[in-house]
Amino acid sequence: MAEGRPAARRTIRPVARGPRTPVVTTSLIALNVLVFFVTVVQARSLNGNDRSDLFAAWSLVPGYVAQGEWWRVVTAGFLHYGPLHLLFNMLALWVIGRDMEMLLGRTRLLAVYLVALLGGSAAALLFYGANSEVAGASGAVFGLMGGLAVALRRMRVPMTQVVVVIAINIVLSVTLPGVSLIGHLGGLIVGAVATAALVYAPARNRTAFQAGAIGALTVLSIAVMLLAV
C-alpha cells in the first residue's frame, strides 16, 4: 500500500481524506480484545473461553438465529476461540485495516468491515447445519483482504502479494480443522464488491452511489439470511 499511494493520487480521486491515525481499525481491535477478555474471565480459561456465557449467547448458531436470535449474525464476529485465533485475526486486521482506512476514510472502512461481516454470516447460515457454531472476525477480515485487492487494482498497483496472501488463507481454511471456509469466502466476496462500489463510484453523486451500494449489499445479505433460516 505504501508503494501504491503516490500512484493513487495520479490515477484516481481519493474516496475520502484518509486519517493519519487509524481510529476505526484500532477501535475494532480493542473491542475484539475486550470481548475476548470478558469470555476468558467468565470461563476462567484462556483456551476454553468458548465455554463462557457470553460466547454461548453471541456465537452464530443457525438454529438459534432461526428462533429469532438475530443479534448473533453480528456479535459472532467479535468472538474468538482462544488467544491464537484472536491474535491472527487482529494482526491481519491491523496490517490491512490501517491502510484501507487511510484510503477509504473511517466511515467507509467501517461500512466495508460490517457488510463483509454480514456477508460471512449469511454464507454460514446458508450452508451450515442448524447446530453448527461459528465465531470470529475472519469473515470481516477476509472482506478487507478482498477490498484491498480491488483497491490496488483500481490504483493500477501490482496486487500479486495480496492475492497470494488470500490464496494462502483460503488453503489454510480448507486444511485446518474447525475453520469456517464458507464464512471466509462470503466475507471475501462481499468485502470486495463493497470496496469496488466505493473506489469505482462515478464522480457525479459519488456519496449517494456509495451509500446505495453498501445499503444494497446489506439488504442482500439479510435476504440471504432470511432465505437460509
Side-chain angles (χ1 to χ4, degrees):
M1 282 298 291
E3 295 176 355
R5 286 179 195 126
R9 286 192 289 269
R10 293 192 301 269
T11 59
I12 65 172
R13 180 182 302 175
V15 173
R17 186 179 297 278
R20 292 182 178 274
T21 304
V23 173
V24 172
T25 300
T26 304
S27 298
L28 287 171
I29 292 173
L31 180 57
N32 277 277
V33 172
L34 175 61
V35 171
F36 179 76
F37 177 76
V38 172
T39 61
V40 168
V41 171
Q42 287 184 347
R44 298 182 179 179
S45 173
L46 184 64
N47 291 305
N49 66 301
D50 57 309
R51 297 192 295 268
S52 70
D53 292 338
L54 185 64
F55 210 104
W58 279 17
S59 62
L60 179 57
V61 181
Y64 292 158
V65 174
Q67 295 174 12
E69 298 182 5
W70 284 94
W71 63 84
R72 293 175 180 268
V73 302
V74 175
T75 57
F78 296 91
L79 297 171
H80 291 85
Y81 293 100
L84 289 180
H85 188 203
L86 175 71
L87 176 62
F88 287 139
N89 275 341
M90 295 304 99
L91 179 60
L93 176 55
W94 172 249
V95 172
I96 299 172
R98 58 182 178 176
D99 283 333
M100 288 287 284
E101 188 167 348
M102 291 184 67
L103 174 65
L104 301 179
R106 292 168 179 165
T107 302
R108 291 170 176 83
L109 180 277
L110 182 61
V112 172
Y113 185 90
L114 292 178
V115 77
L117 190 160
L118 290 179
S121 295
L125 287 177
L126 188 61
F127 291 101
Y128 289 150
N131 295 323
S132 302
E133 183 180 58
V134 180
S138 303
V141 172
F142 262 74
L144 295 185
M145 289 184 190
L148 180 57
V150 170
L152 293 179
R153 174 66 177 176
R154 181 67 178 94
M155 295 187 294
R156 301 178 183 177
V157 174
M159 47 186 280
T160 305
Q161 291 183 348
V162 177
V163 173
V164 170
V165 170
I166 292 173
I168 291 174
N169 278 274
I170 290 176
V171 171
L172 291 176
S173 298
V174 174
T175 57
L176 294 179
V179 177
S180 174
L181 173 63
I182 295 298
H184 292 177
L185 293 179
L188 176 69
I189 294 170
V190 173
V193 173
T195 304
L198 297 180
V199 300
Y200 285 96
R204 174 176 292 185
N205 299 321
R206 180 183 298 269
T207 301
F209 179 91
Q210 293 169 340
I214 295 297
L217 284 171
T218 301
V219 171
L220 178 61
S221 296
I222 295 173
V224 171
M225 294 179 196
L226 291 172
L227 177 66
V229 300

